Amino acid sequence: MKLYSTNNHDLKVDFQSAVFNSMPQDKGLYMPAEIPVLEAEFLENLDQYTLPEIAYTIASALLHEDIPAEDLKALIDDAINFPAPVKALSDDTYVLELFHGPSLAFKDFGARFMSRVMAYFLKDGEKMLDVLVATSGDTGGAVALGFLGVPNTRVTILYPKGKVSEIQELQLCSNGQNIRAIEIDGTFDDCQALVKQAFADDELNARMRLTSANSINISRLIPQTFYYFNAVAQLYKAGKREIVFSVPSGNFGNIAAGLLAYKMGLPVKQFIAATNVNDTVPRFLETGVYETRPSVQTYANAMDVGAPSNWIRIMELFKQDTLKLKELVKSYRYTDAETVQAITDIYEQFNYVACPHTAIAWLAVQAYKTGYPSAEETFVFLSTAHACKFPDVFPEEIAAKIDVPAQLEELKKRAQSAEHMGVDFDAFKAFLLAGEV
Ligand SMILES: *Cc1c(COP(=O)(O)O)cnc(C)c1O
């Protein structure tokens, strides 16, 4: 696969360089130069295929020049080793559960695939890959668990002290092996600034092989297309055809993957982008003006993004055709009060506990149904995280119904360890150099 930069269509790189560099030097984003449309035979018979088969078919259409078939198959089986079930809540409403991976959030799809692709491209005897990642919560856990035990890699996670949930912290600090956590006495922005400064530091780059694991890496986007096709496959089995996906969105990577899947032939009628009050995209679709704003903290904190980095990818997919995009993607925003009310409504109507991000996606389905009534459609809202990751948001009665997965009980028994640092770059740099190999 060849990729171009959204800032320079003439710049073309291969998949391996796009994976290791994450971002072109011109600060654009990498996009596939050609998007293959999957065979009609495959698309019409999706319900005959399993998730690993679907994943392989998609990945191979994109990456057959980059990774030989047998290796790609093995890589996918190793990365996507957990299910993505679609569960019926009523005759026309389904929830796509994307939280059955090790970190209990959908970011496991991207992080596990990316870690294995990077490990695959690392040649024997090459310098160890040092992955630096700043996290506000979910990304760090998915990246840590994605790289855990992957040979010739090491991950250093920076997280802001007192600003991640207890379970998120447990996932960051209980790994050992090739994963190191640093608790920074500062904000998420401070963590991100330290990581950026490290990437810009000549001495560090000369002595270590640094790479980033942030969400704009193209190898995180690709595996997120798999579950859209797999969801349609499951709905075909249930005799459902006109499918509408509602995606809780922050950085817009998840829905960008859905729209990439659409371009590859995903049979779907409509997308809904659901946001919290960080509503840059809903405002853009209403007014035509794209105006980013500083992010505002909400209960759905993984969606607290004022300048969604993947939006530019979506505009590229639609060749800047805003009208086409507005037809296919409807967008709605919700406040914290509406989110908490939705958690209660979903619980009362369906006896189902949804995390705050998931509840926002459900709310957007209700708005869409009111705005565009049709008897034929089937609605699928994406559940991006397990409710147990956000215990403080729930009314007590509902919180008591959340089952905590067994894997978390295991984590609690393990030793926790983190380094503690301020926001001083020299201390962070000295820490990195001390671990030089
Ligand atoms: C990251 C995240 C989101 C937002 O996904 P984007 O791809 O950034 O739009 C939504 N929900 C949860 C639980 C997340 O961790």
Side-chain angles (χ1 to χ4, degrees):
M1 172 164 78
K2 286 276 179 283
L3 299 110
Y4 67 89
S5 163
T6 51
N7 281 345
N8 177 1
H9 289 215
D10 295 328
L11 182 121
K12 298 254 164 62
V13 302
D14 64 12
F15 180 59
Q16 182 170 342
S17 6
V19 169
F20 282 129
N21 296 333
S22 257
M23 197 185 232
Q25 285 195 323
D26 62 21
K27 304 265 189 288
L29 294 185
Y30 286 119
M31 282 297 282
E34 272 168 47
I35 297 171
V37 177
L38 303 175
E39 286 176 23
E41 167 73 20
F42 172 74
L43 295 169
E44 279 154 25
N45 298 294
L46 274 173
D47 54 352
Q48 310 291 313
Y49 296 90
T50 62
L51 174 57
E53 289 165 349
I54 289 174
Y56 173 72
T57 305
I58 300 166
S60 146
L62 290 161
L63 304 177
H64 60 97
E65 289 168 358
D66 306 279
I67 304 178
E70 285 311 310
D71 294 344
L72 187 58
K73 226 177 232 155
L75 192 156
I76 284 171
D77 288 346
D78 183 31
I80 314 298
N81 64 349
F82 51 92
V86 166
K87 295 194 174 158
L89 297 186
S90 71
D91 189 46
D92 71 350
T93 304
Y94 290 71
V95 55
L96 167 54
E97 292 185 346
L98 300 174
F99 54 73
H100 294 282
S103 83
L104 307 173
F106 85 99
K107 290 188 173 72
D108 285 325
F109 284 88
R112 287 179 70 82
F113 187 79
M114 173 176 63
S115 61
R116 279 145 186 85
V117 166
M118 285 184 175
Y120 179 80
F121 284 137
L122 275 178
K123 308 268 181 326
D124 279 346
E126 272 187 14
K127 211 174 178 61
M128 180 174 73
L129 189 67
D130 260 298
V131 180
L132 304 185
V133 56
T135 186
S136 57
D138 276 348
T139 300
V143 170
L145 292 160
F147 278 94
L148 184 64
V150 173
N152 213 17
T153 69
R154 175 170 61 187
V155 177
T156 306
I157 306 161
L158 286 74
Y159 70 96
K161 182 175 175 178
K163 297 197 176 63
V164 302
S165 81
E166 203 181 312
I167 285 174
Q168 286 172 332
E169 189 161 19
L170 202 60
Q171 289 178 340
L172 299 176
C173 301
S174 61
N175 296 296
Q177 297 187 53
N178 57 333
I179 312 296
R180 310 185 292 188
I182 309 179
E183 183 185 55
I184 299 289
D185 199 354
T187 62
F188 168 65
D189 291 338
D190 294 325
C191 297
Q192 202 154 27
L194 285 168
V195 167
K196 281 200 176 140
Q197 208 174 336
F199 286 125
D201 188 275
D202 291 336
E203 187 184 4
L204 282 176
N205 280 294
R207 291 173 58 176
M208 311 177 81
R209 183 170 182 186
L210 300 179
T211 195
S212 132
N214 60 22
S215 68
I216 51 161
N217 196 297
I218 190 72
S219 65
R220 283 181 59 166
L221 203 67
I222 292 169
Q224 293 182 40
T225 60
F226 304 163
Y227 50 73
Y228 285 96
F229 284 96
N230 187 58
V232 169
Q234 293 173 68
L235 290 160
Y236 276 10
K237 281 188 193 143
K240 303 293 184 183
R241 290 276 153 174
E242 288 195 10
I243 297 160
V244 177
F245 282 109
S246 179
V247 187
S249 298
N251 229 346
F252 281 70
N254 196 352
I255 194 167
L259 293 165
L260 174 61
Y262 171 81
K263 290 283 175 184
M264 295 180 79
L266 179 75
V268 57
K269 177 148 180 232
Q270 183 77 45
F271 284 92
I272 305 173
T275 75
N276 57 30
V277 292
N278 295 282
D279 62 350
T280 299
V281 168
R283 273 187 290 111
F284 169 67
L285 292 177
E286 277 156 29
T287 63
V289 180
Y290 192 79
E291 184 207 355
T292 62
R293 288 186 185 164
S295 66
V296 176
Q297 199 175 342
T298 75
Y299 288 154
N301 62 12
M303 287 154 53
D304 293 348
V305 182
S309 28
N310 283 292
W311 184 252
I312 182 169
R313 282 202 162 114
I314 294 175
M315 293 299 286
E316 283 287 307
L317 280 173
F318 287 83
K319 303 202 164 56
Q320 320 296 324
D321 182 347
T322 316
L323 281 180
K324 180 91 219 292
L325 199 50
K326 276 166 80 164
E327 258 170 52
L328 185 66
V329 183
K330 305 295 179 210
S331 193
Y332 305 94
R333 75 179 69 71
Y334 297 95
T335 63
D336 274 351
E338 289 167 318
T339 306
V340 173
Q341 183 59 49
I343 288 172
T344 306
D345 291 346
I346 296 168
Y347 180 67
E348 285 175 357
Q349 283 184 41
F350 308 115
N351 193 28
Y352 187 83
V353 183
C355 93
H357 312 78
T358 306
I360 286 177
W362 178 79
L363 275 174
V365 166
Q366 311 318 305
Y368 173 81
K369 277 168 100 165
T370 308
Y372 305 89
S374 151
E376 305 299 320
E377 292 172 346
T378 298
F379 303 94
V380 185
F381 61 103
L382 275 57
S383 178
T384 44
H386 194 291
C388 73
K389 293 188 96 172
F390 309 93
D392 303 338
V393 177
F394 292 87
E396 244 172 64
E397 184 208 339
I398 302 177
K401 302 281 178 193
I402 301 174
D403 348 290
V404 177
Q407 68 214 70
L408 283 182
E409 297 305 329
E410 284 305 305
L411 285 191
K412 286 186 188 155
K413 293 181 200 145
R414 290 208 211 142
Q416 306 283 309
S417 85
E419 298 288 325
H420 304 275
M421 279 181 209
V423 297
D424 171 35
F425 178 68
D426 290 335
F428 177 50
K429 179 171 170 178
F431 173 81
L432 289 176
L433 286 174
E436 189 187 358
V437 284

